Amino acid sequence: MEDLWRERKAYPLLGLMSIGVILYLNFGDKLSFPILWQPKMSFVGTNSTRFVINDDNGEQSIFYVNGWNSYWLMEESVWSTSRYKVSEMLKRGSQMGMTVCRTWAFSDGDRHDSLQFAPGFFNEKVFQGLDFVIAEARKHKIRLILSLVNNLDAFGGKAQYVKWAQEAGVNVSSSTDSFFSHPTIKRYYKDYIKAIVARKNSITGRRYSEEPAVFAWELINEPRCTSSSSAPLLQTWITEMASFIKSLDQKHLVTVGLEGFYGPKTTERSGVNPGEWAALLGSDFIQDSAIENIDFASVHAYPDSWIVDWFHQILLPSFLISMTSYHDPLAGSLVLIWKKKHIFFHVGWITIYMMERVC
């Protein structure tokens, strides 16, 4: 009787194992199963000029951002042979005490490794690469700032959206600034946002909108709008898109992705700009950051690129210190204007080297 019981128990197990082998041999890496255990994480919010975490008991604790920028994580996660680079980067960041990593959640165009190869059409293999980045970040307790489109042409950018509209027969200006104003192009971008936010991770089984390993959505990497230097066009776009993403996802923070330039209306602070040209790019740090659904401000500082004269580069450390103090929301009236936290995302590599040598 005992042998019969053992046989009856073994046969179903052998059957399941056989099915698993057959599925693997036929479908290989197309199969994926949700991870059943992940490190516990909570969503990050804001409380005036502080980032905070609300635990299950309703208690708030301050969250300190200490992080880095690795734009390439999704690109290197498309193929299993290069995923180790992503794992190692996130692992090392965690070991160094880092808490946040900023990376691309976009790649637009007709390249073989593009995430979006036409408006609303996606490469599932590349999407699975982004799934891996998010799952791996959570594994190492790193939170991600996911940027949604590029102002520059690299990885498609706003120029690719304009090109798609032109190819569809839409009467649109050849200026890439049409990205911020044309209804068809704005619809393309909103559809992209909707697809990203609603994406169900093939590894974790969790939608991106429900994933606490996402720290924030960044609307666009370093927006510039040279055809409207007075800034209202870009501000209108930021207002619309920030509101749209909040309508889909109330759990995550939203930021713009600004370089930190002051516009013509902020004359009292325009002196900190790296040149007069910076006030003519349709962006204003104060006005853009004050928009209701923008949760925190950002600054991308590239003084070694902005100030190319070597004589002036000797002064780069002091320029950066001045720029930092001018963008500090705790400095006087700024905190009264919008009471928002801000992050310095980038510092040019020559500046870092020179500051290390000087200090």
Side-chain angles (χ1 to χ4, degrees):
M1 179 68 70
E2 186 175 347
D3 290 340
L4 181 60
W5 180 84
R6 287 178 179 173
E7 289 179 1
R8 289 178 176 175
K9 185 177 181 180
Y11 288 151
L13 181 59
L14 289 172
L16 289 172
M17 292 175 64
S18 299
I19 293 172
V21 171
I22 293 171
L23 288 172
Y24 179 78
L25 292 175
N26 281 275
F27 298 102
D29 61 0
K30 294 181 181 179
L31 287 174
S32 62
F33 301 94
I35 294 175
L36 299 179
W37 180 88
Q38 290 182 290
K40 185 177 180 181
M41 296 181 81
S42 299
F43 292 94
V44 176
T46 58
N47 184 351
S48 187
T49 58
R50 292 179 174 179
F51 293 115
V52 295
I53 293 177
N54 295 306
D55 61 24
D56 295 337
N57 299 320
E59 297 292 327
Q60 274 193 357
S61 59
I62 298 175
F63 179 79
Y64 294 98
V65 174
N66 182 21
W68 78 102
N69 184 77
S70 289
Y71 74 90
W72 47 267
L73 298 184
M74 180 177 69
E75 184 182 18
E76 293 293 345
S77 296
V78 175
W79 309 107
S80 58
T81 53
S82 57
R83 284 185 171 182
Y84 74 92
K85 300 177 184 178
V86 176
S87 300
E88 185 65 21
M89 174 61 75
L90 293 169
K91 177 183 176 182
R92 289 191 180 187
S94 180
Q95 290 173 340
M96 293 172 64
M98 301 290 187
T99 59
V100 173
C101 175
R102 177 178 175 269
T103 192
W104 289 173
F106 64 81
S107 182
D108 305 303
D110 56 4
R111 300 176 305 279
H112 72 282
D113 58 352
S114 291
L115 174 58
Q116 184 178 214
F117 57 85
F121 291 89
F122 300 90
N123 185 330
E124 177 60 23
K125 184 72 175 178
V126 181
F127 234 145
Q128 290 175 9
L130 185 56
D131 292 344
F132 176 81
V133 172
I134 294 174
E136 199 70 4
R138 181 160 182 174
K139 175 182 175 181
H140 295 288
K141 297 184 178 181
I142 297 292
R143 290 175 169 84
L144 300 171
I145 295 174
L146 297 177
S147 188
L148 297 172
V149 70
N150 203 356
N151 182 79
L152 304 173
D153 293 348
F155 297 88
K158 64 182 185 181
Q160 181 61 64
Y161 279 83
V162 174
K163 182 180 178 182
W164 280 331
Q166 291 172 333
E167 291 173 346
V170 178
N171 184 18
V172 59
S173 167
S174 60
S175 170
T176 58
D177 289 345
S178 299
F179 176 84
F180 299 117
S181 59
H182 199 281
T184 297
I185 299 175
K186 290 196 290 183
R187 176 171 55 83
Y188 289 165
Y189 180 67
K190 285 182 177 180
D191 288 344
Y192 182 76
I193 290 176
K194 190 181 298 183
I196 292 288
V197 171
R199 167 73 177 181
K200 187 175 183 180
N201 194 308
S202 61
I203 299 174
T204 67
R206 187 188 297 268
R207 296 193 184 278
Y208 288 8
S209 60
E210 301 292 329
E211 177 54 72
V214 174
F215 178 83
W217 304 111
E218 182 182 271
L219 295 180
I220 181 171
N221 176 52
E222 300 167 4
R224 294 184 178 187
C225 185
T226 56
S227 64
S228 180
S229 60
S230 60
L233 180 60
L234 180 56
Q235 288 164 22
T236 299
W237 181 87
I238 294 170
T239 301
E240 181 178 351
M241 297 308 167
S243 176
F244 179 74
I245 199 168
K246 286 288 189 179
S247 73
L248 302 174
D249 177 6
Q250 294 82 43
K251 294 185 177 181
H252 289 109
L253 303 176
V254 175
T255 191
V256 181
L258 301 171
E259 293 167 279
F261 301 140
Y262 294 102
K265 292 185 178 181
T266 318
T267 54
E268 71 278 9
R269 292 182 176 270
S270 60
V272 77
N273 283 342
E276 293 182 2
W277 55 268
L280 305 176
L281 300 176
S283 175
D284 187 283
F285 179 72
I286 295 293
Q287 296 179 50
D288 296 345
S289 300
I291 291 170
E292 180 181 2
N293 287 305
I294 297 303
D295 296 298
F296 63 94
S298 64
V299 178
H300 297 190
Y302 300 99
D304 49 341
S305 297
W306 297 337
I307 306 176
V308 295
D309 183 277
W310 276 103
F311 175 77
H312 288 94
Q313 285 197 8
I314 297 174
L315 304 176
L316 284 181
S318 60
F319 168 83
L320 187 62
I321 292 171
S322 173
M323 189 176 186
T324 304
S325 64
Y326 264 80
H327 285 84
D328 187 351
L330 298 179
S333 62
L334 284 181
V335 70
L336 299 177
I337 297 173
W338 30 270
K339 295 187 178 181
K340 295 179 182 179
K341 189 66 177 172
H342 81 301
I343 301 175
F344 262 79
F345 281 119
H346 297 289
V347 178
W349 66 272
I350 294 178
T351 302
I352 294 173
Y353 172 76
M354 293 184 66
M355 290 185 74
E356 288 176 346
R357 300 292 292 178
V358 170
C359 298

